[in-house]
Amino acid sequence: MSERTPLLHYRLSASVNESGDHRDTRTGRDEDEPQSPATVRRRPAAKQPPKLNIFFGVVIPTLLSMFSVVVFLRVGFVVGQCGLYQTIAMLLVAYFIISMTVLSVCAISTNGALDAGGAYYMISRALGPEFGGSIGIMFFLANVCGSALFVLGLVEAMLTTFGIPEDGSSLSGSRYMVLPTGYWWSLLYGTVILLLCVLVCLVGAHIYAKATFLIFIIVIVVLGTIFISFFVVPFRTVQLPGHRNASLGPMSANFTGFKLDTLMGNVQADYTVDYTTGVMMSFASVFAVMFNGCTGIMAGSNMSGDLKNPSYSIPRGTITAVIFTFVIYNLLSILISCTCDRILLQQDYGFLTDINVWHPFVTIGVYSSTLSAAMSNLIGASRVLYALARDDLFGRFLSPAKHTSASGNPWVSVLISWILVQLVLFSGKLNTIASIATIFFLLVYAAVDLACLALEWASAPNFRPTFRYFTWHTCVLGIMGCAVMMFLINAIYASASIAFMLLLLLLIHYLSPVSSWGCISQALIFHQVHTTLQDYVLPSDPLQSQYDSWLSLVDHLNIKAFVNLTLADSVRHGVQHLLFISGLGGMRPNTLVLGFYDDAPPQDQLQDSTLSMCRFSESSAQVDDPEDPNDPPFHFPPVRGGVSVGRGGKSLGPQEYVCIIADAVKMLKNVALVRYFGQFDRTQALQGPVFVDVWPVNLLRPDSAAYVDTCSLFLLQLACILNMTRAWQKAKLRLFLCVEEGRSLKGTEQKLKHLLKDLRMKADICTVPWDSQVTLHWQRQTRSEKIEEMDSEESEDDKGFANSFPSNTSRVSDEYLQAVNKLILDQTLCPPAVRFLYLPRPPADTSRYHDYLHQLELLTRNLGPTLLIHGVTPVITTDL
């Protein structure tokens, strides 16, 4: 062989299950399980009701959940306590924290198909059933508590306006005090409101979307009147609630309109006692109140099972809602600082009602946004519970929650969520529920960041989100921000929540049935085993003296690899041994890499110290002898020493070489043949524009060319993995589409673009007309049909079963192969750094092995660094 390439075994799947079966990290599907081309795309589901689009399914629920009552009742409170400077700083910090989580949500949601369950589905499919199940329960409880919180908030707002005080006085000055007050009356009002929310959720996601759209219109109109009021309402004196003095009468404060003095009086912090609780405020306490209005970012992802295209809608809708709310909060803060006295902001949290052009507008807005937030949390809780039940993590305990209506609405989950929300309403303690719900949400956000971080650090080939505006740094910042906020809000509740989550994790680990999901925890375990085994020193054996040199080579190349050596009477038998013994358990390699066999004289670059050091100098500068820096770090005896060699000094013949390829394919190993990599100069190749060309069609069988088979998809996977490495990230993939005249070019190209989109691969599609090459092929076919038929009849009795398989060698001519080779060379003005070509399997008839190798030589002649790839393992899916 012209190049002496070590046997490299690359494990493509990111994790393996305990039995050693190869599984996809996202779906748990066995790699060896047959997969038709159609399964690469999502199979069409059973007939379902129309799904929600990005606006109704993500933007509106997220906006309303983030606004809730904070935008109407707490923005003035924050400005009055903290001042404009600290308010803007708080908003920047709060939105920085949630933005880090939003980036993680966008990354995971665009990594293939996303099913029902939202954040739970993302976490469970990335971190495994233990983490996913425990966080799923926490997320479910967070939505339950959130729904109860907003129901109680709505009851409180109603009683403030329409309630009859028990002492007969009026805190709000309302003339419409008609509702009795008290604990049981409040519980009754909350139960009625919750029942209304349940009825909407039982009907289904569409009536919920219509209801929230109506509420959204109301909230937007109310916000519009608030902004208008700042400019059109003149100077106004506002009566402060709850401050009466027998001699002085009710205290009052002023809405001054736009004045510089008013602005200067509101820019600095001035923390006072909260008149509703009697507690002295601080930066931390005000920040916790304000941050509660930013915890609705998962409202859209909760609806993932009801969306038309979750991977498209969730990132765009969530980012849109976050940006919109951030702008509104900042504008309100600035306008309030410019127009309202400090005493008004500190002593009347409902002042927006008093300064509005029409007072009832703000009251309507408060009721509408609170009702919407309650429904959003209730329907979110039911979807998470349904996803948990469907995954059978808790066995029969949650099995009733699997039931759905004919339209797919999980009505049993809605009822269970309703019952739990009703139980929480009995507590009646709004502030306690608010702290617990916020901490639960923050814990889920941190888990989403952790899931994205784990997928990024694991470098799983199937983690290819189309949303790329994130790094492991954003994930770490999101985790740290959520953790700090949890303990800032309430350290006791935060510690108790984490302890409860760990308890759930242990229960699921020991009590739940075995799941087929691939998970990061298994990948980390195998990574640790891999590292440990690399440090293990084997007992003395005949090959022990060679291990040190190979281990030095591995260290010198700075790669992670096992070293396995064997003694054999031939190269073929040696390769068979290595394929059998390499790896451990589920960590067995599935790909064999060989140098290409041609007529060039063999070069043993491990013997040539000049070539060796020149080739490997970039990765390491280690030497054996510190006194002699020119001494190479490894010493290999001549590989061909003492072995009888054939023509050209080769110890391996072409027949045996093709037998090695055939053996590997029969053992269900992927095969890669590398040619001209002795000419590859890494430094020069990666300078300037870098291209990687991919030809995913079997060029030896133009009459049966297909772009969607196991081999072509495996080839695409390898090219994508190369593009994902740090040194090759700037390289552009070019995918060549061979077309014939008369075929639908636009349709074929569109199908290929759709496939690349589903696989989250970025590549430029280049159409290549090859009518003249195909014509050469069919001319040869016409001439050889009768000869081939006669040959097959004569050899049928002798060859029997072998000739029942199609053979590539009898179907193409040298003229055709030379034409295709020229076609490849002529395609680009800028030559690629590497080419990926389709490697067909060797023919079943061993007498045609020489012709097979000759065809490969003609096909790849003078192409530069080229990889011929044959894949037998389906490793690409579009699921998360």
Side-chain angles (χ1 to χ4, degrees), residues 159-349:
L159 292 180
T160 300
T161 305
F162 302 106
I164 302 175
E166 295 181 0
D167 58 0
S169 63
S170 173
L171 295 180
S172 64
S174 173
R175 294 173 296 174
Y176 307 100
M177 299 178 293
V178 295
L179 298 179
T181 57
Y183 171 78
W184 293 107
W185 284 108
S186 298
L187 182 62
L188 175 62
Y189 303 147
T191 301
V192 173
I193 294 171
L194 179 60
L195 186 60
L196 174 63
C197 296
V198 170
L199 292 176
V200 173
C201 294
L202 282 176
V203 175
H206 291 280
I207 189 65
Y208 163 77
K210 293 178 181 178
T212 53
F213 177 68
L214 177 61
I215 295 174
F216 172 75
I217 295 298
I218 295 173
V219 170
I220 293 300
V221 170
V222 173
L223 280 175
T225 63
I226 291 175
F227 281 108
I228 292 173
S229 299
F230 285 116
F231 295 92
V232 301
V233 173
F235 180 91
R236 179 174 293 181
T237 298
V238 178
Q239 301 296 323
L240 300 179
H243 297 277
R244 293 183 177 276
N245 186 288
S247 60
L248 299 178
M251 294 177 59
S252 61
N254 297 325
F255 171 78
T256 65
F258 289 95
K259 285 190 176 182
L260 181 60
D261 292 340
T262 304
L263 174 62
M264 298 307 297
N266 287 326
V267 294
Q268 301 295 334
D270 182 19
Y271 294 101
T272 61
V273 175
D274 177 12
Y275 73 88
T276 62
T277 62
V279 178
M280 183 66 185
M281 293 289 99
S282 64
F283 181 88
S285 58
V286 176
F287 191 39
V289 171
M290 188 272 298
F291 192 80
N292 188 56
C294 305
T295 57
I297 58 174
M298 290 292 187
S301 61
N302 288 345
M303 303 294 295
S304 57
D306 300 298
L307 299 175
K308 289 181 181 177
N309 189 348
S311 297
Y312 177 86
S313 300
I314 290 177
R316 289 166 175 80
T318 304
I319 292 175
T320 300
V322 168
I323 294 175
F324 184 80
T325 56
F326 178 73
V327 171
I328 293 297
Y329 279 136
N330 277 279
L331 286 178
L332 273 179
S333 300
I334 295 172
L335 292 175
I336 288 172
S337 300
C338 294
T339 58
C340 300
D341 279 347
R342 193 63 168 261
I343 189 66
L344 176 63
L345 302 180
Q346 293 176 339
Q347 302 299 330
D348 185 3
Y349 302 155

Side-chain angles (χ1 to χ4, degrees), residues 677-710:
F677 271 80
Q679 305 172 5
F680 180 76
D681 187 337
R682 177 188 176 92
T683 304
Q684 184 177 358
L686 297 181
Q687 288 182 349
V690 182
F691 298 97
V692 176
D693 287 359
V694 182
W695 295 76
V697 63
N698 185 354
L699 296 172
L700 298 189
R701 292 286 299 274
D703 53 335
S704 62
Y707 288 93
V708 185
D709 64 7
T710 300

Side-chain angles (χ1 to χ4, degrees), residues 77-152:
F77 158 77
V78 175
V79 175
Q81 297 290 339
C82 301
L84 180 61
Y85 292 158
Q86 289 192 13
T87 297
I88 294 178
M90 283 184 177
L91 287 170
L92 289 173
V93 172
Y95 272 82
F96 175 79
I97 293 174
I98 65 171
S99 295
M100 298 301 101
T101 301
V102 167
L103 295 180
S104 299
V105 171
C106 294
I108 299 179
S109 63
T110 58
N111 188 45
L114 187 66
D115 210 339
Y120 159 71
Y121 189 87
M122 300 178 193
I123 297 169
S124 62
R125 268 50 178 186
L127 299 183
E130 294 90 351
F131 283 98
S134 56
I135 290 295
I137 291 294
M138 302 295 286
F139 195 34
F140 167 70
L141 294 177
N143 280 280
V144 167
C145 293
S147 182
L149 167 68
F150 291 118
V151 169
L152 289 176

Side-chain angles (χ1 to χ4, degrees), residues 58-69 150 208 211-217 219-220 296 299 321 325 368-370 372-373 376:
V58 182
V59 175
I60 290 179
T62 307
L63 276 176
L64 294 179
S65 296
M66 296 185 71
F67 276 151
S68 62
V69 297
F150 291 118
Y208 163 77
T212 53
F213 177 68
L214 177 61
I215 295 174
F216 172 75
I217 295 298
V219 170
I220 293 300
T325 56
S368 301
S369 61
T370 311
S372 170
S376 175

